[in-house]
Amino acid sequence: MRERRKISKRIGLSIVMLMTILSVSKQVASGQIVGISTNILDYAKFVTMNLEVGTAVARNWTFSIDGSYNPFVFNKNDADNRMQFKHLTIGTGVKYWPFYLFSGFNFGVKTQWSEYNIGGITSPQTVEGDAFGIAISAGYSLIISKHFNIDFSLGVWGGYTFYTRYSCPSCGDILQRDSRWFIAPTDIKISLTFNI
Amino acid sequence: MRRLMVILLTMSLFAATSSCSATFKLKRLRKENPTTIVNLAGTSPLHSEGEVCDTTHTESSDTLTVIDPQGNRVFFMKATVDSTGTLIASEELQPAIVTAKFRNVPERNGMVSLDFDLEIPDIMLDNNWQIRLSPILIIGEDTTSLEKILITGEEYRKDLLEGYSKYNRYLNRIITDSSKLIYTGLMETFLSRKEYYSISHDKVREYYSKKGAIYWNNYLIKNKEKKYREYVKDTLATCGIRLDSVISNDKKGIKYCYSQGLKARRNLKRVDLIVFGEIVDFNQNLLFSIPPSSPITYYISSFSSMTEEIEKYLTKVIERKAFLNTSSLIEFRKGKYDVEYGFGNNHYELERIKGLLEELMFDSEYNIDSITVTASSSPEGNYARNKELSRRRGEEITKYLEIYSDSLRAQNQGVIINLDEMDEYENDFIHFKLSPRYIAENWKELESMIRRDTLILKDKETLLGICSIKDISERKERLKRHKEYKKLLVNFYPELRRVVFDFHLHKKGMVKDTIHTTVIDTTYMRGLKALKERDYETAVVLLGPYGDINSALAFISLDYNASALKVLERLPESPKRDYLLCIIYSRMGDEKSSIEYYLKAKEMDPSLRFRANLDPEIGKLINKYGL
């Protein structure tokens, strides 16, 4: 079961990345505005790699796809201090810019899917599961130079998650297997954007 | 501690006195009620405080009031006996002395110069006040304000200038450069990006404008007026002010010599001058209203009072061409056209005509231009024949006269009668034209004769009706058949066979003739009116061409001395003329001639001595030489 998931995950991910790259390059080639950003704060969150690509749809709307991936496990061999915040999050959404895209305030709505395996940070209990939901966010984009912006944003998302709770990061004792609705913060960003 | 108290006390006392001094001064002002003293220029101030009209003591000191034992009031007065013997109470009145200041000023070149001195007593001067004096001229019913005089205190002036600088500083806070109200750096960075979707420049501008700063700026601009009124209480006036001086601390009174030129206008005989004033502090509160000064009167003399009321009449120039005509009945035999001297009355008529021709040819006054001879026949017989007859008759008469006039000329060729008009005489009398004309049948004359007749004819209407028939032969037929035809034949027809001589003459040497009419020359009248009303420009234009004493007056009033001199020299001697010459010579600097003429004028008219007081040109000579 896990194996199949892994493979399908990999395929899905690569398809998404390919499509993103293709569309971005297509748009760049045809002269449209594209913004590629990466969130600095996320790197503080146990080194999550992330990328967001947004393209202009109209004067006040952009369409964006963002993803973040954290495969790292800290203190893997140390059973007592092992920490992980592994997740893969992909979201697609739109942003409304009241003045002009990629400058000033923006409000965004997106759908987001995330699979995660988090444990060992506050307690040895590890949670593993999928979450699917809708997020809203608000932010401000500050123009620094001709091609760079700094984005600030805050968001919150809610949805449904299926999860399994284990007693420790690397063992297999299942404590709980359930699904529930949830609300959580997301999109807390201070990110550097490169605009073409 | 104690020291501190002492210092505080002295400081408060000091502050109190300095503010008290102003109010103290005001109180003194209000009590004493001083006024600015206005004097005629060059005169010493009148010590007139005691001489001003004193009306409080008109009650006689001779009346005694006594209450007698019965309790009644009894009045005792001075009494005198008058001419009829009755006792009359008499009162002695104190004389009221009124001092009025006046001066005679001459009007020259259409301007009068009014000079006066203003004295401001030192009690009115203070560093914190401004004294505003406005002299007012009263001319008839008009009042004219002259330029004001401002005496500003030092503190007052300082406050004024500080007010200006405060306002200036306020104005500097208002941002006028609109580029300062936008985040230009950010906007430029935004604009440098590739603009894939268009956005209007105004929207970008508006997005990047500093909204707070703009709001504040507008608020400052809105309050500009209020701030102006708050800071700048009084302005540094530049026009309408004769003097604006700042007084310093030495508290002496101020004296200012004011000189004002006034343009001459109609009926400007007397001008009164009063000076009003007020004292204000920096907040423009009226501290004290200076009571008006006692008036000065200027009596203005000008040359226009010397105008003479002359009536001039228009002269018309007309052409005189004389015209003379006479008709004579020269009889011709029936059907013949020769001029027969002996036939009928011809000799008499011809002699008459010849005599007239001779007379006119040698006339001293007139020359003959042309002579027209018109012959006509009576309307009987064939029209064509009558026409031919009239023509030939006219020509014969003309020829006859031509021969005669030629013979006259030949006779008189060598003889010169008039010595002075010799040339014209010879030229003109030789050539004149003799033109023959003819009227075939003189129906017109017949008609008018019938109309005019009152004795002979009875049936005028029918005859006139016949005469108006278009066809001539029918006319003649009908007339012949008329019962009064015989009367016509006998009485009227002979007169129709006549010759009319028209002599066209003109007066010798003169084609134009001047006639003096009784139409009043209105241009001259208007010129006189302008002169009397002191409108000298118009007077000179209107009166100039006439060259009489009034034109000389107009020239003198505007200082056209050379023109006036030319006019006056041509005029006959008279006291006025000599006086005017004296004025002109005095103006030109020739004192000797001026005095000569003055003495001559005075001899003829001693009253001119008083006129001399009014004219400074001769006045200064009188003073210099003690005339």
Side-chain angles (χ1 to χ4, degrees), chain B residues 7 19 208 227 234 376 393 409 441 445 465 515 554 611:
Chain B
I7 291 169
S19 67
Y208 278 107
K227 287 295 179 185
D234 187 15
S376 56
R393 283 174 184 173
R409 267 190 223 120
E441 286 177 359
E445 189 59 36
I515 286 196
R611 172 81 211 190

Side-chain angles (χ1 to χ4, degrees), chain B residues 332-524:
Chain B
F332 292 91
R333 283 188 206 277
K334 198 160 174 184
K336 294 272 193 257
Y337 49 80
D338 308 312
V339 179
E340 282 184 54
Y341 189 80
F343 182 66
N345 239 355
N346 278 358
H347 71 273
Y348 175 73
E349 292 289 323
L350 284 170
E351 282 307 310
R352 190 167 71 86
I353 294 295
K354 284 199 300 196
L356 192 58
L357 184 62
E358 190 177 336
E359 210 182 295
L360 286 174
M361 279 172 78
F362 297 110
D363 190 291
S364 54
E365 268 197 85
Y366 287 98
N367 283 331
I368 306 178
D369 284 331
S370 62
I371 304 177
T372 312
V373 181
T374 316
S376 56
S377 325
S378 57
E380 48 182 349
N382 187 291
Y383 180 79
R385 209 153 32 92
N386 279 338
K387 187 167 157 188
E388 180 71 17
L389 214 53
S390 308
R391 192 174 66 82
R392 298 301 283 270
R393 283 174 184 173
E395 279 175 8
E396 287 300 311
I397 297 273
T398 312
K399 246 192 269 178
Y400 187 88
L401 283 180
E402 262 177 11
I403 295 167
Y404 183 68
S405 61
D406 284 342
S407 72
L408 281 180
R409 267 190 223 120
Q411 278 177 32
N412 286 296
Q413 200 78 313
V415 178
I416 297 161
I417 300 178
N418 267 331
L419 281 163
D420 6 72
E421 292 162 284
M422 176 169 56
D423 297 341
E424 293 164 73
Y425 197 78
E426 271 199 30
N427 279 331
D428 284 353
F429 99 120
I430 292 178
H431 304 291
F432 57 82
K433 234 176 123 214
L434 273 167
S435 351
R437 297 243 171 88
Y438 65 93
I439 303 174
E441 286 177 359
N442 212 345
W443 287 103
K444 265 208 197 84
E445 189 59 36
L446 178 65
E447 266 181 63
S448 63
M449 283 208 283
I450 293 173
R451 254 188 261 265
R452 270 183 283 154
D453 175 69
T454 47
L455 287 163
I456 304 169
L457 296 171
K458 295 203 175 60
D459 190 4
K460 285 209 279 190
E461 285 83 38
T462 341
L463 285 168
L464 286 170
I466 297 171
C467 286
S468 56
I469 296 172
K470 279 226 162 60
D471 185 21
I472 295 181
S473 36
E474 180 159 342
R475 245 191 257 171
K476 288 186 194 163
E477 286 296 310
R478 296 276 291 277
L479 262 181
K480 265 198 217 159
R481 280 186 258 129
H482 198 278
K483 58 176 175 182
E484 298 198 303
Y485 185 61
K486 258 239 163 96
K487 287 192 201 164
L488 284 181
L489 265 182
V490 170
N491 295 303
F492 294 142
Y493 278 25
E495 282 191 40
L496 296 175
R497 300 177 212 117
R498 66 174 182 179
V499 183
V500 176
F501 299 89
D502 291 315
F503 295 90
H504 299 272
L505 316 163
H506 69 264
K507 210 162 180 209
K508 215 190 279 258
M510 214 166 89
V511 180
K512 292 195 171 138
D513 210 8
T514 310
I515 286 196
H516 294 267
T517 60
T518 50
V519 176
I520 293 193
D521 191 351
T522 49
T523 313
Y524 193 80

Side-chain angles (χ1 to χ4, degrees), chain A residues 21-69:
Chain A
I21 290 167
L22 278 175
S23 57
V24 165
S25 43
K26 173 178 173 257
Q27 280 178 341
V28 166
S30 66
Q32 278 195 320
I33 304 177
V34 170
I36 302 168
S37 69
T38 175
N39 190 359
I40 315 286
L41 278 186
D42 260 2
Y43 291 98
K45 192 169 79 176
F46 297 100
V47 191
T48 310
M49 300 174 289
N50 63 91
L51 190 73
E52 183 181 345
V53 174
T55 69
V57 173
R59 192 174 86 189
N60 298 87
W61 296 92
T62 55
F63 170 72
S64 60
I65 299 176
D66 70 294
S68 63
Y69 179 55

Side-chain angles (χ1 to χ4, degrees), chain B residues 84-327:
Chain B
T84 60
T86 35
L87 206 61
I88 298 178
S90 69
E91 266 194 43
E92 234 179 66
L93 292 173
Q94 297 280 44
I97 302 168
V98 176
T99 48
K101 304 177 206 174
F102 69 93
R103 170 175 271 204
N104 287 318
V105 276
E107 178 220 309
R108 292 287 178 266
N109 289 344
M111 294 282 280
V112 187
S113 173
L114 304 173
D115 305 301
F116 56 95
D117 294 338
L118 274 177
E119 269 186 47
I120 299 160
D122 58 359
I123 191 180
M124 284 192 201
L125 305 173
D126 186 271
N127 272 334
N128 294 313
W129 299 343
Q130 187 183 62
I131 305 173
R132 299 179 181 165
L133 298 173
S134 22
I136 307 251
L137 292 179
I138 302 172
I139 308 170
E141 288 182 356
D142 295 331
T143 52
T144 318
S145 324
L146 301 178
E147 291 171 337
K148 290 196 188 170
I149 293 186
L150 304 177
I151 310 284
T152 316
E154 221 174 326
E155 292 298 322
Y156 186 98
R157 176 61 67 89
K158 260 200 224 156
D159 287 338
L160 184 89
L161 294 173
E162 212 183 287
Y164 269 119
S165 68
K166 270 197 218 160
Y167 183 64
N168 255 336
R169 271 182 272 142
Y170 178 83
L171 284 182
N172 286 337
R173 282 163 58 193
I174 298 177
I175 302 171
T176 47
D177 186 4
S178 61
S179 65
K180 291 221 183 91
L181 294 171
I182 318 177
Y183 295 108
T184 43
L186 293 176
M187 191 168 86
E188 245 143 65
T189 328
F190 174 79
L191 287 174
S192 66
R193 290 190 170 184
K194 195 161 62 169
E195 208 176 272
Y196 193 79
Y197 295 100
S198 64
I199 185 165
S200 69
H201 203 79
D202 291 333
K203 275 223 184 103
V204 176
R205 227 157 193 268
E206 197 231 310
Y207 180 77
Y208 278 107
S209 51
K210 301 181 188 174
K211 302 230 172 61
I214 289 176
Y215 179 79
W216 178 243
N217 210 33
N218 287 339
Y219 174 76
L220 284 181
I221 291 172
K222 217 165 49 143
N223 273 347
K224 226 173 31 169
E225 282 298 320
K226 208 170 71 161
K227 287 295 179 185
Y228 183 81
R229 278 196 297 272
E230 189 185 316
Y231 293 135
V232 181
K233 294 249 170 59
D234 187 15
T235 52
L236 275 173
T238 46
C239 63
I241 305 285
R242 177 61 69 98
L243 173 76
D244 186 359
S245 76
V246 180
I247 49 169
S248 52
N249 268 323
D250 47 13
K251 301 288 184 70
K252 287 183 263 185
I254 290 183
K255 181 171 169 181
Y256 178 69
C257 305
Y258 199 115
S259 172
Q260 175 75 33
L262 186 69
K263 198 167 185 307
R265 60 179 90 166
R266 297 182 184 194
N267 304 322
L268 183 67
K269 295 201 183 84
R270 172 191 162 146
V271 178
D272 292 303
L273 172 84
I274 305 181
V275 176
F276 292 93
E278 52 190 16
I279 300 182
V280 292
D281 71 356
F282 186 65
N283 291 321
Q284 307 303 301
N285 301 323
L286 178 66
L287 295 175
F288 178 67
S289 184
I290 304 174
S293 66
S294 47
I296 293 185
T297 311
Y298 294 94
Y299 291 102
I300 298 172
S301 65
S302 85
F303 285 115
S304 64
S305 55
M306 291 170 80
T307 41
E308 277 186 25
E309 297 281 351
I310 305 173
E311 265 184 1
K312 280 212 191 261
Y313 297 97
L314 284 177
T315 54
K316 266 203 295 202
V317 169
I318 59 166
E319 278 186 22
R320 283 249 287 158
K321 257 202 165 106
F323 178 75
L324 187 70
N325 73 349
T326 182
S327 70

Side-chain angles (χ1 to χ4, degrees), chain A residues 69-121:
Chain A
Y69 179 55
N70 189 339
F72 304 112
V73 177
F74 300 96
N75 301 330
K76 192 168 185 176
N77 302 317
D78 191 347
D80 295 323
N81 294 324
R82 180 173 159 151
M83 284 196 292
Q84 59 199 47
F85 198 96
K86 292 164 78 171
H87 69 275
L88 171 67
T89 312
I90 296 175
T92 58
V94 291
K95 279 200 181 135
Y96 172 68
W97 304 77
F99 169 58
Y100 192 82
L101 45 82
F102 295 133
S103 47
F105 288 99
N106 54 275
F107 306 99
V109 161
K110 66 180 180 181
T111 54
Q112 189 163 272
W113 168 82
S114 171
E115 65 171 9
Y116 55 92
N117 186 334
I118 304 168
I121 302 164

